[in-house]
Structure formats: C-alpha cells, structure tokens
Amino acid sequence: MNDKEIVLTAEGLSKIEHELEELKTVHRKEVNDRIRQAKEYGDLSENAEYEDAKQEQAFIEGRILKLEAMIRNARLLDESEYAADEVHLGSIVNVKDLKNAESYEFSIVGSAEADPTNRRISNESPLGHALIGHKKNETVDVTTPRGVVKYKIEQIRSGSLPKKAAKKAS
C-alpha cells in the first residue's frame, strides 16, 4: 500500500479515527448480519442480496485498510513550524478574485481532509498550491480549466472554518 506521508490537522485525524471505529464496530457487524441472513435464503449463485452484501463487505474492508494506512502515515500539522504571516497548511485565507472582485475564504488542509463544499481546499489543489508560501497583499496566478485566475491575498489567519456551504472559486 502507498506509504506517502499524510498531513492532517488534529480534527482531521480525529474524524478518520472515528470513521475507522464506526466501520469496524457498526458497519462490519451490519454487513456480516446481512450475509448471514442472505445465506439462509438458500442457493447463493442466484442470490442478489448475498452478492450485494459481499460487495459492501469488500468495500468496507478496503476502506478500513485505507484508513489504517492513513493513520499509520499521518503527520499532525504543527502550526509552530510555519511563519504566521505566510499561507501554510492550517491557514484560513481570504482571497479576492481580481477579475470579478468576489472574495472567498478557504482553509488550506492536506489532501486527505479536502472538502471544497465546506471551503477546505487541499494544498495540492491548483489554488492551494499557488497560495502556499505567499503573504498578505500578494497576488497569485492560478491555472484553472477556464484559464489563469489572479487572486489577491487579503487576510491570513489560523484556526478552522465553521461548517457551511462555500461559494465556488475556480
């Protein structure tokens, strides 16, 4: 399995550990019960319920392996490693699209925690990558499918964003 280091916030690691626990204790038992029940129906060769349950079991076991590898390879984000006035993993960044003058706010996170609908963008995404290392009032060029978009960094701070839907930027 891929042993690539995964950078996580403490919140992100907690979510992964919670999902892993849920898969192992709840979902694994539920799918095993479904398989056992489907076997009682008789001939397994034409038993759609059995096939469906076996596929779900394979998915759950694969997800468990992936989450365990993520935890094994996790490196917790340490804010003290970064300059406070630069965009880094864990930063909340306010940017302005210089073409349409719209402002956006994002939290820069590792790829395992990325969730664009909740304004959590990966440091590996085009926008996240372009912002990393830059300071307030600097302008960055981001190559997107619709062309190059210029953003001005208006504010940088640490913390986490509240959960709510985001406006889409590139």
Side-chain angles (χ1 to χ4, degrees):
M1 187 155 248
N2 189 357
D3 285 342
K4 177 183 169 193
E5 180 180 78
I6 298 169
V7 180
L8 295 170
T9 61
E11 176 188 2
L13 180 59
S14 177
K15 283 181 183 177
I16 290 171
E17 289 171 339
H18 177 73
E19 181 183 354
L20 179 61
E21 186 65 22
E22 180 104 352
L23 286 171
K24 285 181 166 182
T25 59
V26 177
H27 296 292
R28 207 181 235 173
K29 182 183 181 326
E30 286 174 352
V31 79
N32 285 339
D33 290 346
R34 283 183 52 209
I35 290 170
R36 190 172 20 266
Q37 197 173 35
K39 282 181 178 179
E40 293 173 5
Y41 296 144
D43 186 9
L44 297 180
S45 65
E46 295 181 19
N47 188 330
E49 175 64 26
Y50 177 78
E51 287 301 317
D52 184 50
K54 289 298 279 183
Q55 285 180 354
E56 185 177 350
Q57 181 185 45
F59 173 80
I60 288 171
E61 294 303 323
R63 183 70 180 154
I64 287 171
L65 289 173
K66 182 176 181 179
L67 293 174
E68 287 174 339
M70 289 172 74
I71 291 169
R72 195 172 43 252
N73 297 313
R75 178 175 67 85
L76 277 181
L77 177 65
D78 182 358
E79 293 270 344
S80 67
E81 295 175 14
Y82 303 100
D85 64 340
E86 285 185 357
V87 177
H88 60 271
L89 278 163
S91 292
I92 297 172
V93 185
N94 291 75
V95 297
K96 179 183 266 186
D97 182 330
L98 295 179
K99 184 175 181 179
N100 66 19
E102 286 209 37
S103 291
Y104 304 95
E105 182 177 65
F106 300 103
S107 182
I108 309 293
V109 297
S111 60
E113 291 182 74
D115 182 3
T117 59
N118 285 311
R119 301 177 295 159
R120 298 172 64 83
I121 61 170
S122 167
N123 63 315
E124 297 174 13
S125 70
L127 179 57
H129 183 73
L131 291 171
I132 294 289
H134 288 277
K135 297 181 178 191
K136 183 177 178 178
N137 294 323
E138 289 185 357
T139 300
V140 296
D141 293 337
V142 181
T143 303
T144 71
R146 62 181 183 169
V148 175
V149 180
K150 290 186 178 296
Y151 290 98
K152 181 179 179 186
I153 300 171
E154 296 184 316
Q155 183 181 12
I156 304 166
R157 65 186 196 281
S158 294
S160 62
L161 291 169
K163 301 283 189 249
K164 68 179 186 179
K167 289 185 200 176
K168 280 192 176 178
S170 56

